[in-house]
Amino acid sequence: MAPRLQLEKVAWRWVETVRPEEIGQEHVELAYRVNLPACMMGACRRNCKGNPNCLVGIGEQAWLGDIDENAFHNIDDPNSERRDKNTFVGLTNLGATCYVNTFLQVWFHNLELRRTHFLREHRNITLNYEPESICEHLQYLFALLQNSNRKYIDPSGLVKALGLDTRQQQDAQEFSKLFLSLLEVTLSKQKNPNMQNVIQRQFCGQFSYVTVCNHCGRSSARPSRFYELELNIQGHKNLTECVTEFLKEEKLDGDNRYYCENCLSKQSATRRIKLHSLPPTLNLQLMRFVFDRQTGHKKKLNTFICFPEQLDMGSFVEEKQGQQCVYELSAVLIHRGISAYSGHYIAHVKDACTGDWYKFNDEEIEKMEGKKLQLGIEEDIAEPVKSPTRKPKCNKGYHCSRNAYMLVYKIQEEQNLDPSKNNIKLPAFLQKLVDQDNHKFEEWCNEMADMRQQSVNKGKAKHEEVKKLYKLLPTKDGELYEFIPLEWLKKWLDDSTATKEIDNTLLLCSHGKLHPDKVGDSKRVSLQAAQQLYERYGGGPRLNSSLCSKCVSQRCRVLRLKKQLNDDYKEVFNLLKRNFSGDGYWVSKASLRSWRQLAFEQLKEDEQETKHSNGLNKGREEEMKAFNEDIVCTHGGLSIMETERKLVSSEVWKKLREYFPKAPEFSGNQQPCQECLTLEQEEKDNEAVSKMMALHQKNQLLNLFHEKNRPTLTKWPQDTDVLYIVPVFFVEEWRKFIRRPTKSSPVSNVGNTLLLCPHGGFMFTYESLISGDAKQIALLWPSEWEVINRLFIVDQAISIHCLKDTKSPGITTQYTTQPDLCWECRESFLFQQQRDLREYTQATVYIHGGFMVFFTNCKSIFQSQDGAKRLKLCDGTAAPASPVSVTNLAKKGGIRRSTRHRKLRGEKALIVSANQTLKELKIQIMHAFSVAPFDQNLSIDGKGLTDDSATLGSLGIVPESVICLKADEPITDYAAMDDVYDGIKISCGSYICFNYWKK
């Protein structure tokens, strides 16, 4: 079929030979294209919108022939989320919680920890029971992981109770320490003694820091506990080397000498760690995430480390006393990725009951073949360049990994325990909770199955309806027909959208019939098919016998006029090229350029509905209200702007008048408007006066205009004892007038009352002007003040005087203002200013990050007279270094206006409010600098910010403040690490924070 535009052109070709009054039914049918042949199936790749009889390519292909039932619904089989027999349950990833899921799976497979946790005391179970505490959430989660019918469960309850941000990935090793510490503290309060020390029994070992003095040989031992051994992997190839370095002897000499209590002085010494006892579950943290001193952030080490399936720790333990030291590998925790702040966590865990290995990847769980650990693709790292290091060959019984960050070993004796102990039975109250959740899951499965079946039944019914009605749609010659909207037919055949009633209102012309321009948006169907569609879906108005002869006649007239217009346009175009004699007529150049478009617009108004729209032409139509009106002045005469009009011949004007009979007419000898000429001359005279005035004022105040030889307060001029003050706004506006006297208005008065309070007192002190308020004023010499008084209206004279006392010993200088300072108004203003600064919202502060402390910004602090540094507030007011009264503040300091902050390298701007806490600010800093809150040392003006619960306003952080961020370096002294362990602090707010970095 021909393209739509070509079909439309053919449909109206007859108007060239047929006048409107000669139109018959055959012409109307040609305009509506009712006699075009229908397209055959497969002949059109897409539907022909220009042919109302083309009914192919509108979506019918999906319904013809046999259809699979699965095509009638988009609901997955709910049984795909059912747990398979003899498999484990996965955990949903809530965004960035894969590190949580890996540890939960590892702890769940610790049978002793799971069994003991099920014995925890519980509250009364009600129908709407919801866990509250973290231990209750863990207990319920373990119960679901054991007996749930679901393939995976949602850990959001536990994650929310911990206060973790699901959008931000936290340090996995840090999370492990914090969570076990939290469990230890919570379970220690239980009445059951088996529960009180389950964490210690499973994970706690004993070692001591032994220091030997090289001078006297005195040995001192400091016993300590550990829950995991943190092993340095940098420079090592296997696990044995890492453990050996952990226990190696360290020399203490030089500045790091040891204070010997026996020698009573600092002496060179040696220090090492002695392992005394190992726990049943030995956690080995491989320190892959280390601090980079150059960037101030953590980085990941992609070092290959070999580790055995069977680990003998006997050679590392002193005074074994018969304890078992042979361990079996039970879990490997993997971090995939090249960054310490992103990536994905996966756990490989060995089933304690069967000895099979499983890979736990959030919701997905994969069983390894042959009861062997297979790391496989977990060792692939998407690096920007290919790594130069190759994976080393591993002997039998060993594994090699560049992504493992934690190894879990269990004592070998645990495999020889009674198999019946591996069967952990849920307490009745937990089984009841699990049964309730399983019941909800089964109800959901049944509901989804019913919805699937309903969709299938509905689709089958729709299939039969479409197959039946689609065959009735084509219209045969001589039969009655109706028009149906094309978009409605497409939606009817599109099963993804609900079929609404038929709406023909958009297809109607002003006579209530089908508009000729809407033929392409409709389809001609048989009366029988239309009747059934309206009976089933309703709607209207129905378009039977809907061909509008009036619209066709109107369109015929317009098209003929358009053809005539095109001929006239060519004629006018040729006439304009010719030279003519006589007076002629004035025509607007803009109207002359667009007269054909203006004539077209008039034809469209006659047509009552435009067929095409053009944004550019519409803009011209709005710009030009009517032809030739833009050369009519406001007084109704000929405009004085000769460049905007053109003189045309009488023949051209006669043609234009045929289309615009009401257009303003101006003959060639018409004189421009005299009133406009008079006003133009007056404007030129005023500009000349302004230029003379500006030149005179500039010559009188030349130094003020060029800002040369200006007096300053910091270096008071010796040849005068008085300076005068005007607002800087006055000087700026005056300079604008001098530079462009014809474009700017002249300045008539000074306006010094802007610098005075309602009582007529001055609002600034000499000290405050020096500190920054001088930016609001301009200083004048006495000679300049005399000129100002002559040239401008001065509402109030303001001056500052320098009085020197030579009688007393030493020359003292005192500065006064006239009018005097109004202390009452100034104190009130400063008090309000201070209060506003403590109540700001959406203000900017600057964080300067780096490993080394850097904090000094000349635009953020200034030195007061007593040498104390004070912060600049948002308007420049200095906050006192110590609490003072408002009166003292007004006398000592002053109002210092804010200046634009110059951003430094490594600095970032944050938007904060006065009522938010320091902890919330640390979270913002974490997102901006990728430094965890517990690694942040913040200070302002040399003062540390440590109270996380305090608001920024109470800490003295005001708009435009610069805060120093120092990222901590890792601890290398394990004795110091033990001190930190003794001071564990658990916070269940927005983050669980435990700082193990050196302070």
Side-chain angles (χ1 to χ4, degrees):
M1 183 60 65
R4 178 178 180 181
L5 294 178
Q6 186 175 345
L7 290 174
E8 183 177 355
K9 185 177 181 180
V10 173
W12 294 95
R13 184 175 294 169
W14 53 269
V15 301
E16 298 178 2
T17 57
V18 179
R19 292 180 295 181
E21 59 270 15
E22 298 174 348
I23 291 176
Q25 181 63 25
E26 69 275 12
H27 302 113
V28 175
E29 290 183 353
L30 282 173
Y32 280 91
R33 309 165 219 171
V34 295
N35 296 321
L36 286 176
C39 298
M40 301 302 293
M41 187 71 68
C44 296
R45 295 183 179 180
R46 56 182 181 180
N47 184 258
C48 302
K49 290 192 68 175
N51 184 1
N53 298 318
C54 179
L55 295 170
V56 298
I58 57 176
E60 75 284 352
Q61 300 89 343
W63 300 97
L64 302 180
D66 297 331
I67 300 181
D68 185 6
E69 290 186 358
N70 291 326
F72 294 132
H73 64 79
N74 57 356
I75 302 175
D76 296 332
D77 185 1
N79 289 316
S80 63
E81 298 191 20
R82 186 182 299 278
R83 177 183 184 180
D84 295 333
K85 188 177 181 180
N86 298 325
T87 59
F88 292 106
V89 178
L91 293 168
T92 303
N93 191 333
L94 304 177
T97 57
C98 52
Y99 70 99
V100 179
N101 293 344
T102 56
F103 279 106
L104 290 176
Q105 293 287 7
V106 171
W107 294 329
F108 171 77
H109 283 79
N110 188 308
L111 302 184
E112 179 64 21
L113 178 63
R114 192 199 322 172
R115 181 186 297 107
T116 307
H117 208 63
F118 285 158
L119 299 177
R120 185 183 177 277
E121 300 172 1
H122 63 277
R123 297 181 286 111
N124 293 330
I125 304 300
T126 60
L127 183 62
N128 297 322
Y129 170 81
E130 290 290 341
E132 295 180 357
S133 68
I134 293 176
C135 286
E136 287 180 354
H137 278 285
L138 183 64
Q139 189 182 53
Y140 182 44
L141 192 67
F142 278 178
L144 291 176
L145 287 174
Q146 180 166 316
N147 287 354
S148 177
N149 291 344
R150 302 178 188 269
K151 188 175 183 179
Y152 50 84
I153 58 177
D154 185 356
S156 57
L158 175 62
V159 172
K160 185 177 180 180
L162 291 171
L164 298 173
D165 185 354
T166 58
R167 300 165 299 177
Q168 183 70 28
Q169 193 173 92
Q170 304 297 312
D171 188 294
Q173 297 175 353
E174 191 75 0
F175 170 77
S176 170
K177 298 172 187 175
L178 291 170
F179 196 82
L180 290 179
S181 300
L182 179 63
L183 285 181
E184 181 179 11
V185 172
T186 305
L187 295 177
S188 64
K189 301 177 183 178
Q190 293 291 308
K191 297 179 181 179
N192 189 334
N194 291 328
M195 296 190 64
Q196 292 177 358
N197 58 358
V198 62
I199 302 299
Q200 294 92 324
R201 291 201 314 268
Q202 278 297 306
F203 304 103
C204 185
Q206 299 285 334
F207 61 50
S208 61
Y209 298 98
V210 179
T211 306
V212 178
C213 177
N214 292 343
H215 184 262
C216 67
R218 180 181 179 272
S219 175
S220 63
R222 181 184 177 188
S224 182
R225 300 182 304 174
F226 68 90
Y227 291 83
E228 64 264 317
L229 298 180
E230 294 193 347
L231 306 179
N232 177 34
I233 63 173
Q234 195 163 16
H236 301 301
K237 297 180 180 179
N238 55 60
L239 191 63
T240 302
E241 292 180 5
C242 298
V243 178
T244 302
E245 188 204 9
F246 179 78
L247 300 175
K248 76 175 182 180
E249 200 172 70
E250 176 189 5
K251 294 182 179 180
L252 304 179
D253 51 18
D255 294 337
N256 196 30
R257 287 181 299 168
Y258 163 73
Y259 182 83
C260 178
E261 295 181 355
N262 187 35
C263 300
L264 298 179
S265 63
K266 285 188 175 183
Q267 300 291 338
S268 297
T270 58
R271 174 180 291 172
R272 68 185 184 94
I273 296 176
K274 285 186 178 181
L275 283 177
H276 300 298
S277 64
L278 298 174
T281 301
L282 179 61
N283 293 327
L284 301 179
Q285 293 279 7
L286 306 181
M287 297 177 65
R288 291 206 175 271
F289 309 118
V290 298
F291 190 82
D292 188 345
R293 294 177 178 269
Q294 293 182 350
T295 63
H297 303 301
K298 294 180 184 178
K299 69 176 182 179
K300 181 184 176 183
L301 298 178
N302 296 317
T303 305
F304 279 106
I305 291 295
C306 291
F307 51 90
E309 292 184 358
Q310 186 179 82
L311 176 64
D312 188 354
M313 293 290 290
S315 60
F316 301 111
V317 179
E318 303 189 19
E319 303 174 4
K320 291 184 287 236
Q321 298 178 354
Q323 64 173 309
Q324 176 61 266
C325 296
V326 179
Y327 287 82
E328 292 287 341
L329 185 66
S330 66
V332 179
L333 277 65
I334 298 292
H335 173 268
R336 296 195 67 201
I338 60 175
S339 171
Y341 299 100
S342 62
H344 186 58
Y345 290 89
I346 296 172
H348 293 262
V349 184
K350 184 178 182 180
D351 183 7
C353 300
T354 64
D356 295 325
W357 279 91
Y358 291 84
K359 181 173 76 171
F360 292 87
N361 185 5
D362 294 330
E363 296 92 344
E364 301 296 328
I365 300 175
E366 180 184 353
K367 182 180 179 181
M368 302 290 102
E369 297 180 0
K371 295 188 177 183
K372 293 183 179 179
L373 171 64
Q374 300 174 20
L375 297 180
I377 63 171
E378 312 312 330
E379 290 311 304
D380 296 337
I381 299 179
E383 293 180 297
V385 294
K386 188 174 181 181
S387 175
T389 58
R390 295 182 179 181
K391 182 178 181 180
K393 294 183 179 180
C394 293
N395 298 327
K396 185 177 181 180
Y398 283 81
H399 299 278
C400 191
S401 173
R402 68 190 308 187
N403 284 326
Y405 70 94
M406 182 173 177
L407 305 176
V408 180
Y409 285 89
K410 289 186 179 179
I411 203 73
Q412 194 175 36
E413 291 181 351
E414 290 190 357
Q415 297 181 359
N416 301 324
L417 296 176
D418 186 358
S420 62
K421 292 186 178 181
N422 294 335
N423 298 324
I424 302 175
K425 185 177 180 181
L426 287 183
F429 78 96
L430 283 178
Q431 187 59 52
K432 181 179 178 180
L433 293 176
V434 175
D435 291 341
Q436 290 178 1
D437 184 76
N438 288 337
H439 180 68
K440 291 179 182 178
F441 175 70
E442 297 300 331
E443 288 182 341
W444 177 80
C445 289
N446 295 332
E447 182 181 351
M448 292 296 103
D450 291 342
M451 292 177 62
R452 280 165 57 95
Q453 190 58 45
Q454 290 176 11
S455 297
V456 170
N457 295 337
K458 183 179 177 181
K460 288 182 177 179
K462 182 69 174 288
H463 184 211
E464 294 300 321
E465 173 192 314
V466 171
K467 288 176 63 177
K468 177 182 177 181
L469 281 178
Y470 186 76
K471 295 178 180 180
L472 297 176
L473 289 180
T475 303
K476 298 180 181 179
D477 294 340
E479 289 185 352
L480 297 177
Y481 58 86
E482 289 193 28
F483 284 91
I484 298 292
L486 172 60
E487 286 303 315
W488 186 90
L489 286 173
K490 288 182 176 180
K491 292 181 179 179
W492 172 59
L493 294 171
D494 184 3
D495 190 48
S496 63
T497 59
T499 306
K500 299 180 180 180
E501 64 178 19
I502 302 171
D503 184 9
N504 289 321
T505 56
L506 296 178
L507 304 179
L508 300 180
C509 68
S510 59
H511 309 107
K513 297 184 178 183
L514 179 66
H515 196 287
D517 287 346
K518 300 297 182 180
V519 174
D521 298 328
S522 60
K523 292 299 173 183
R524 183 170 164 260
V525 301
S526 66
L527 183 62
Q528 183 182 3
Q531 187 68 29
Q532 294 189 32
L533 289 174
Y534 278 108
E535 288 178 358
R536 182 172 181 82
Y537 298 103
R542 298 183 65 168
L543 297 178
N544 48 0
S545 302
S546 57
L547 306 185
C548 184
S549 58
K550 294 181 180 180
C551 285
V552 173
S553 177
Q554 180 73 358
R555 175 61 59 79
C556 176
R557 185 184 68 84
V558 171
L559 290 176
R560 291 174 66 86
L561 288 175
K562 286 183 178 179
K563 184 179 182 305
Q564 182 63 39
L565 177 59
N566 288 331
D567 295 339
D568 290 341
Y569 177 78
K570 294 178 182 179
E571 183 179 354
V572 170
F573 182 78
N574 292 327
L575 289 174
L576 288 173
K577 292 182 178 180
R578 302 175 186 175
N579 296 324
F580 69 92
S581 59
D583 294 334
Y585 292 86
W586 289 110
V587 180
S588 164
K589 291 182 179 179
S591 295
L592 200 58
R593 285 193 300 267
S594 58
W595 75 270
R596 181 171 64 167
Q597 181 61 35
L598 293 173
F600 269 132
E601 295 299 332
Q602 290 189 6
L603 292 176
K604 289 179 182 180
E605 291 177 5
D606 295 338
E607 196 178 5
Q608 295 183 357
E609 183 176 351
T610 59
K611 184 177 180 181
H612 303 289
S613 63
N614 187 296
L616 179 60
N617 294 333
K618 183 177 179 181
R620 290 177 178 174
E621 179 187 0
E622 294 176 353
E623 181 181 348
M624 292 191 57
K625 297 180 180 179
F627 183 83
N628 224 30
E629 280 194 355
D630 50 336
I631 62 172
V632 180
C633 73
T634 56
H635 309 106
L638 180 63
S639 171
I640 63 175
M641 304 297 293
E642 294 185 11
T643 58
E644 295 180 359
R645 46 189 163 93
K646 178 181 179 65
L647 195 64
V648 300
S649 65
S650 301
E651 193 175 2
V652 171
W653 178 248
K654 183 179 179 181
K655 277 289 182 185
L656 295 175
R657 288 286 284 184
E658 292 177 2
Y659 291 94
F660 309 105
K662 298 181 181 181
E665 181 178 293
F666 299 102
S667 62
N669 55 9
Q670 177 80 37
Q671 294 298 319
C673 176
Q674 293 300 318
E675 294 184 49
C676 290
L677 290 173
T678 302
L679 292 175
E680 183 184 31
Q681 186 60 41
E682 290 178 357
E683 184 178 352
K684 291 180 179 179
D685 295 342
N686 290 334
E687 289 181 356
V689 172
S690 296
K691 290 181 179 179
M692 292 177 59
M693 182 188 300
L695 181 61
H696 176 68
Q697 293 181 4
K698 177 181 178 181
N699 292 333
Q700 292 288 311
L701 299 168
L702 192 60
N703 284 342
L704 180 61
F705 176 75
H706 291 296
E707 295 187 79
K708 291 184 178 179
N709 190 25
R710 307 312 309 152
T712 60
L713 295 177
T714 53
K715 295 182 179 180
W716 187 275
Q718 297 180 358
D719 55 348
T720 184
D721 57 356
V722 60
L723 295 174
Y724 289 87
I725 294 175
V726 293
V728 70
F729 174 78
F730 160 76
V731 178
E732 291 172 350
E733 292 298 312
W734 175 73
R735 287 194 181 114
K736 289 180 183 178
F737 169 69
I738 299 300
R739 293 188 184 101
R740 304 183 67 185
T742 60
K743 302 295 183 180
S744 303
S745 301
V747 180
S748 59
N749 54 64
V750 174
N752 266 351
T753 52
L754 294 174
L755 305 176
L756 304 179
C757 73
H759 309 112
F762 194 47
M763 288 294 293
F764 307 101
T765 65
Y766 173 79
E767 290 79 8
S768 69
L769 290 174
I770 292 178
S771 299
D773 287 336
K775 294 182 179 181
Q776 301 185 58
I777 62 145
L779 294 175
L780 303 179
W781 298 101
S783 59
E784 292 175 331
W785 178 250
E786 293 178 3
V787 176
I788 292 290
N789 273 305
R790 292 198 310 268
L791 298 179
F792 305 98
I793 301 173
V794 179
D795 51 4
Q796 174 68 52
I798 303 177
S799 59
I800 183 167
H801 300 261
C802 176
L803 305 177
K804 296 183 179 180
D805 186 4
T806 57
K807 297 180 179 180
S808 57
I811 300 176
T812 59
T813 304
Q814 182 180 1
Y815 300 94
T816 62
T817 62
Q818 184 64 35
D820 294 333
L821 177 69
C822 181
W823 287 106
E824 179 182 355
C825 291
R826 180 164 179 79
E827 289 177 6
S828 176
F829 174 73
L830 291 176
F831 179 79
Q832 180 65 34
Q833 190 179 60
Q834 291 292 318
R835 189 178 68 177
D836 291 344
L837 287 173
R838 293 297 185 264
E839 299 175 358
Y840 60 86
T841 57
Q842 298 297 304
T844 301
V845 298
Y846 299 92
I847 311 299
H848 192 94
F851 178 72
M852 300 302 293
V853 177
F854 182 89
F855 174 78
T856 299
N857 186 345
C858 62
K859 292 183 177 291
S860 300
I861 58 174
F862 66 91
Q863 194 77 16
S864 64
Q865 293 180 357
D866 57 359
K869 289 185 177 180
R870 296 180 291 175
L871 286 177
K872 183 193 71 175
L873 306 182
C874 67
D875 66 346
T877 303
S882 58
V884 295
S885 67
V886 176
T887 303
N888 291 334
L889 175 63
K891 293 180 179 179
K892 289 184 178 181
I895 306 171
R896 188 184 181 200
R897 301 300 169 189
S898 63
T899 58
R900 177 169 296 185
H901 178 84
R902 179 174 296 175
K903 194 172 182 181
L904 302 176
R905 180 176 297 179
E907 190 173 277
K908 294 184 179 181
L910 299 181
I911 303 300
V912 298
S913 300
N915 59 355
Q916 77 180 65
T917 63
L918 183 62
K919 176 183 283 187
E920 293 170 338
L921 176 62
K922 287 185 175 181
I923 295 173
Q924 288 182 259
I925 295 174
M926 179 186 65
H927 292 300
F929 288 87
S930 299
V931 178
F934 49 76
D935 284 342
Q936 298 174 19
N937 278 334
L938 302 180
S939 61
I940 183 169
D941 196 20
K943 178 183 177 182
L945 304 175
T946 57
D947 188 355
D948 286 348
S949 61
T951 64
L952 302 189
S954 65
L955 292 173
I957 299 175
V958 295
E960 300 295 317
S961 293
V962 178
I963 300 173
C964 172
L965 164 65
K966 177 185 177 183
D968 296 324
E969 60 179 323
I971 283 182
T972 56
D973 187 347
Y974 290 97
M977 172 69 84
D978 192 63
D979 292 338
V980 177
Y981 267 109
D982 294 338
I984 288 176
K985 294 183 178 179
I986 304 297
S987 171
C988 297
S990 298
Y991 288 86
I992 303 179
C993 298
F994 166 48
N995 194 344
Y996 62 96
W997 302 107
K998 182 187 294 182
K999 294 301 179 185

